[in-house]
Amino acid sequence: MNNEKLDAKIAYKRINEFIDKSGRYYKTLFHVHTPESYDYKLFKNRDNFIYGEATDEELFNICVELGILPQSNSYKDYHKIGVEEGIYKSYKEAFAFLLFMFFLAEKNVDIAIITDHNTLDGYIKADKAIKNLKEIKGNIKGYFPTIILGIEISCADKNHVVGIIDYNNKETIKSLNDWLIYNLVNKIEGTVLTSMEVMRFLSDLNVITY
């Protein structure tokens, strides 16, 4: 008996031991962009707000307004938020990720697959935002969403390919990052390869692809 059949048999036996064998629904976002994506909007209906033009202080004030952060003399009082560590490029970005994770929790999202355009960088920043929120505010509604690493690759035939990746598989992540460095025109344009070529490459890495 091969390992896959053995794993399935063990799983089946354990499920049969449960008193309650019913399933559970999880509110899941299979495709969501973070502020790491070049076209991220943050707010669609906030008057006179354009994320690309917003300042550090403006994002901080929004966090205070929504009760995510307490009022402070300066946004730089939050120096441990990840900017000085190099996780975020600016306070604006750090606060944007706080808002991103706050809204997911407020919407009762259980699982979110981070699929930014042509980059894996948003996952680490979203993970740090969860830790920041837990430290600053405590668990919102008793939990935070589980995030899963993904990517959306823009292809030459105008199709977009999504990959879902095991973050613990460092070899796969390294191979994919090396591929992105070599094959991307830039984070906006994506790659000159076709969607089929990209899907074949991701499949060879055992990445879930569609």
Side-chain angles (χ1 to χ4, degrees), residues 18-38:
F18 294 154
I19 297 174
D20 182 0
K21 298 182 178 63
S22 62
R24 177 187 167 189
Y25 288 103
Y26 290 92
K27 187 174 182 179
T28 303
L29 289 176
F30 282 94
H31 187 120
V32 63
H33 294 165
T34 76
E36 188 64 29
S37 284
Y38 71 88

Side-chain angles (χ1 to χ4, degrees), residues 90-143:
S90 65
Y91 281 93
K92 166 186 168 178
E93 185 179 64
F95 296 141
F97 271 91
L98 278 178
L99 288 162
F100 171 76
M101 294 311 308
F102 175 79
F103 289 137
L104 290 186
E106 282 287 292
K107 295 295 184 181
N108 298 313
V109 172
D110 294 300
I111 301 168
I113 302 176
I114 307 297
T115 52
D116 284 313
H117 291 295
N118 307 308
T119 180
L120 303 175
D121 294 344
Y123 179 90
I124 294 174
K125 297 177 181 183
D127 184 60
K128 176 62 175 173
I130 291 174
K131 293 172 183 174
N132 285 336
L133 278 172
K134 285 181 178 179
E135 183 175 338
I136 294 166
K137 194 171 180 61
N139 282 6
I140 299 172
K141 298 191 176 181
Y143 73 97

Side-chain angles (χ1 to χ4, degrees), residues 40-47 49-51 58-59 62-63 65-66 99 103:
Y40 189 71
K41 303 295 184 185
L42 187 58
F43 296 107
K44 288 186 177 180
N45 301 315
R46 191 178 182 92
D47 292 340
F49 181 88
I50 300 174
Y51 177 65
E58 190 172 1
L59 266 291
I62 293 173
C63 288
E65 172 191 325
L66 295 174
L99 288 162
F103 289 137

Side-chain angles (χ1 to χ4, degrees), residues 120 151 153 155 161-163 165 171-184 191 193-209:
L120 303 175
I151 190 171
I153 300 174
C155 304
V161 172
V162 172
I165 306 135
E171 185 177 339
T172 294
I173 292 174
K174 183 182 183 307
S175 296
L176 181 50
N177 271 321
D178 289 345
W179 183 92
L180 291 171
I181 291 170
Y182 184 79
N183 288 282
L184 288 186
T191 179
L193 299 177
T194 66
S195 52
M196 186 58 68
E197 289 173 310
V198 173
M199 291 184 76
R200 286 198 188 103
F201 167 74
L202 293 177
S203 294
D204 287 343
L205 292 180
N206 292 318
V207 170
I208 298 172
T209 308

